[in-house]
Amino acid sequence: MRGNLTAKRGVRVAGMIFKTRSKKGRNNFFMYYLNTNAQSLLFEKVIHGRVFVDKSLLIEKISDVIGTGDSFICITRPRRFGKTINANMLGAYYTKGYDSHPIFDNLAVSGTERYENHINQYNVIHIDFSQLPDFCDGYDNYICNITDTLKDDLQEAYPHLRGREYRSLSHMFQDTQDSFIFILDEWDSVFYESFMTVSHKNRFMKFLRGLLKDEPYVELAYMTGVLPIAKYSSGSELNMFHEFDFVNDNVYDAYFGFDEKEVRDLCLKINTVSYQEMKHWYDGYYTSTGDRLFNPRSVSNALTRGVCLNYWTETGPMNEIADCIEHNVDEVREDIVKLVSGIPIETELTGYSAAEQQLKTRGDILSAMVVYGFLSYYNGYLKIPNHELMEKYQKVLSRDSMGEIKEIVDSSKMMLEATLAMDERKVAELLETVHDREIPFLDYNDENSLSCVITLCYLYARKDYHIVREEKSGKGYCDYLFYPRKNKGTAIILELKVNNTAEYAIRQIKQKNYIQKAAEFDSVLLVGIAYDKVQKVHGCLIEKIERE
């Protein structure tokens, strides 16, 4: 069926192809969804930008499934992981509306065997569902704008459709006697709009089903979003899609996010931020094979602005997750405290199932946190990916509904001040206060439990310190290293002991030469903290070493 609609002649201006206006048809307008050059222009801007990583080999993977039973693909990733850039790239490559050789001839895909077989060979319908019409006042306005635009585009491209009445869009597409690639970006974005009800969400799913399912004109449906389809699907509406998310993607995972080599190369090329700083802030995700991935949008912002900051914008999902943590499942609070303490959580995640439309169980919530990008998951273990996300979790622990956890966090400023003042009695008193609260999962059974207490008590310190747990230094691994964020300042080396003494903790710091890691700073505080499980009391000893 493919091939009836030929590419319209274009005009080359400054290296780009601009479609000439059609002289036929009553409306005399550019088409908006069908074979437009918008994706070519947008992707070309990315290529010419200061920060660009070539992910064009994704095209080869997608081309393999066109016209097969595996041609329904849904890629879900957190925001800012390259979904839209890749969607624009695919639209620019496949569309027969424009010659996109000038864009792709210098990219990696041009070296593949079937490069010429697929470039500019397809009718492409590209819809960005995050774009709302002006003055959109509800779902009907939103969806009618999409359906009317599709109808107008088809009538412009296929004049024989004009004047006919169709009961559905699918009938209209069938009457073209042609086939199409559908690229549907941010499919779930409208679900976050205030006007969307449960009924509207169901109607939207049925709209997608009617447009795509079991239709002979669909050669490929490539869809992106934050949430897997199963989050909102009540059954078989879109069960033809193969879903690929952070939990289960072993096919396309290398094309979303920057890997270590890509980030190293960018840091050397642009030379505004060191690789080590970039790794601390934005590393922490994994491919299915264990290769590390960085948050690409944050890396790009840091390189462009020349400084690593928290570029993860506040979004609805973070509040949704926080609400689930606070109100629904007590066990997840324990998980979050452990994760903030640097203790990985062992669990088995399989992603969403069709029945999991609400986050009620521990497994549902942890799976959702991986899908949203708030946790990374590899080899059966969950962890907070990086410093950028750690800052977000600190805010969650500071919310009123976290109860006594919040009170401990609120007092963490006093803990840091007492430590810097070398007030051993005050440090021990603050630890006793936490112990007396009898929070169930802070039961001091082992050093991991004591580590959770220390993390909460020193949470405020993360504002001025880069805190590393189990850092290799000298002849072993010290429990905590507090690196001042400013070059000059006082570093802190903190060692924990259960059923031993604070003096022994200080002696271990010295004997194993943990001080080696903090030698560059003006001074170092050696902090030994001990807990006697029999007497149920804490001990603290602090020594200061000045640089000579």
Side-chain angles (χ1 to χ4, degrees), residues 318-331:
M318 189 66 193
N319 289 330
E320 181 179 335
I321 293 297
D323 290 342
C324 290
I325 293 169
E326 295 165 357
H327 302 305
N328 291 350
V329 185
D330 289 339
E331 307 98 275

Side-chain angles (χ1 to χ4, degrees), residues 176-187:
T176 66
Q177 296 298 302
D178 218 335
S179 59
F180 301 82
I181 283 178
F182 288 81
I183 297 176
L184 309 176
D185 196 21
E186 302 292 358
W187 79 272

Side-chain angles (χ1 to χ4, degrees), residues 65-332:
V65 302
I66 292 176
T68 73
D70 298 321
S71 60
F72 289 85
I73 298 169
C74 182
I75 303 286
T76 55
R77 289 294 187 277
R79 290 181 177 88
R80 303 138 27 100
F81 262 80
K83 300 188 303 294
T84 294
I85 290 174
N86 284 342
N88 287 334
M89 176 181 72
L90 295 173
Y93 174 81
Y94 288 121
T95 181
K96 63 168 55 177
Y98 299 88
D99 178 13
S100 53
H101 281 84
I103 297 176
F104 292 97
D105 280 351
N106 293 319
L107 299 184
V109 68
S110 65
T112 60
E113 183 179 352
R114 291 172 296 157
Y115 172 60
E116 290 292 346
N117 294 353
H118 295 281
I119 190 169
N120 304 138
Q121 296 299 307
Y122 301 89
N123 300 314
V124 173
I125 299 285
H126 187 288
I127 303 176
D128 180 353
F129 284 111
S130 68
Q131 294 183 353
L132 273 65
D134 294 341
F135 313 111
C136 183
D137 59 0
Y139 174 74
D140 288 335
N141 183 206
Y142 170 81
I143 200 66
C144 285
N145 179 73
I146 292 173
T147 56
D148 289 348
T149 302
L150 280 171
K151 291 175 183 177
D152 288 342
D153 280 3
L154 291 175
Q155 289 174 345
E156 177 74 4
Y158 301 89
H160 71 275
L161 302 181
R162 295 173 186 161
R164 298 186 182 184
E165 294 293 331
Y166 294 95
R167 288 178 296 175
S168 67
L169 269 174
S170 63
H171 290 162
M172 197 172 188
F173 272 101
Q174 290 173 21
D175 204 14
T176 66
Q177 296 298 302
D178 218 335
S179 59
F180 301 82
I181 283 178
F182 288 81
I183 297 176
L184 309 176
D185 196 21
E186 302 292 358
W187 79 272
D188 58 337
S189 59
V190 71
F191 286 12
Y192 299 108
E193 297 297 328
S194 60
F195 57 73
M196 290 293 287
T197 65
V198 173
S199 174
H200 292 145
K201 292 173 183 178
N202 290 335
R203 287 172 58 190
F204 184 71
M205 299 297 285
K206 290 177 181 177
F207 162 75
L208 293 176
R209 179 190 64 188
L211 181 65
L212 302 172
K213 189 170 184 178
D214 298 327
E215 296 296 351
Y217 54 79
V218 180
E219 287 208 87
L220 170 73
Y222 177 91
M223 197 154 69
T224 77
V226 175
L227 293 175
I229 299 166
K231 166 69 174 172
Y232 292 103
S233 177
S234 60
S236 62
E237 289 98 342
L238 299 177
N239 63 356
M240 68 285 196
F241 274 94
H242 300 275
E243 299 197 51
F244 301 89
D245 60 31
F246 254 148
V247 177
N248 66 10
D249 187 356
N250 64 341
V251 180
Y252 306 106
D253 51 0
Y255 304 103
F256 297 88
F258 293 164
D259 65 29
E260 288 185 287
K261 183 181 183 304
E262 289 165 343
V263 176
R264 286 184 187 276
D265 290 346
L266 286 171
C267 289
L268 288 173
K269 174 185 175 183
I270 300 175
N271 197 29
T272 55
V273 177
S274 72
Y275 173 76
Q276 288 303 319
E277 185 73 1
M278 201 74 79
K279 183 178 179 66
H280 166 62
W281 272 87
Y282 311 120
D283 185 18
Y285 300 96
Y286 298 89
T287 66
S288 57
T289 57
D291 294 331
R292 302 181 74 88
L293 287 176
F294 290 65
N295 184 318
R297 179 67 180 278
S298 296
V299 168
S300 299
N301 283 338
L303 289 169
T304 301
R305 294 180 58 176
V307 61
C308 288
L309 297 172
N310 197 317
Y311 296 109
W312 190 288
T313 55
E314 293 289 351
T315 58
M318 189 66 193
N319 289 330
E320 181 179 335
I321 293 297
D323 290 342
C324 290
I325 293 169
E326 295 165 357
H327 302 305
N328 291 350
V329 185
D330 289 339
E331 307 98 275
V332 177

Side-chain angles (χ1 to χ4, degrees), residues 251-431:
V251 180
Y252 306 106
D253 51 0
Y255 304 103
F256 297 88
F258 293 164
D259 65 29
E260 288 185 287
K261 183 181 183 304
E262 289 165 343
V263 176
R264 286 184 187 276
D265 290 346
L266 286 171
C267 289
L268 288 173
K269 174 185 175 183
I270 300 175
N271 197 29
T272 55
V273 177
S274 72
Y275 173 76
Q276 288 303 319
E277 185 73 1
M278 201 74 79
K279 183 178 179 66
H280 166 62
W281 272 87
Y282 311 120
D283 185 18
Y285 300 96
Y286 298 89
T287 66
S288 57
T289 57
D291 294 331
R292 302 181 74 88
L293 287 176
F294 290 65
N295 184 318
R297 179 67 180 278
S298 296
V299 168
S300 299
N301 283 338
L303 289 169
T304 301
R305 294 180 58 176
V307 61
C308 288
L309 297 172
N310 197 317
Y311 296 109
W312 190 288
T313 55
E314 293 289 351
T315 58
M318 189 66 193
N319 289 330
E320 181 179 335
I321 293 297
D323 290 342
C324 290
I325 293 169
E326 295 165 357
H327 302 305
N328 291 350
V329 185
D330 289 339
E331 307 98 275
V332 177
R333 298 190 192 185
E334 176 180 350
D335 290 327
I336 297 306
V337 171
K338 288 180 178 178
L339 288 164
V340 171
S341 302
I343 302 170
I345 302 298
E346 185 175 10
T347 187
E348 183 177 347
L349 299 182
T350 57
Y352 283 106
S353 71
E356 291 166 352
Q357 297 188 57
Q358 295 183 359
L359 306 178
K360 292 183 178 179
T361 71
R362 176 176 179 265
D364 294 348
I365 295 171
L366 293 177
S367 294
M369 293 168 79
V370 174
V371 168
Y372 286 130
F374 300 131
L375 293 176
S376 64
Y377 181 65
Y378 179 67
N379 204 24
Y381 284 90
L382 290 168
K383 71 173 188 175
I384 297 173
N386 49 46
H387 179 70
E388 186 178 39
L389 268 298
M390 184 66 77
E391 288 189 350
K392 297 301 181 187
Y393 281 94
Q394 291 172 218
K395 291 186 178 180
V396 172
L397 294 179
S398 301
R399 288 171 64 138
D400 288 340
S401 53
M402 294 301 286
E404 291 182 320
I405 297 296
K406 178 186 185 301
E407 294 179 24
I408 297 171
V409 171
D410 287 347
S411 66
S412 63
K413 183 178 180 181
M414 288 188 292
M415 188 69 160
L416 178 62
E417 291 172 346
T419 303
L420 293 175
M422 300 181 64
D423 189 341
E424 300 163 342
R425 182 185 59 81
K426 184 66 174 178
V427 170
E429 281 182 1
L430 290 168
L431 289 171

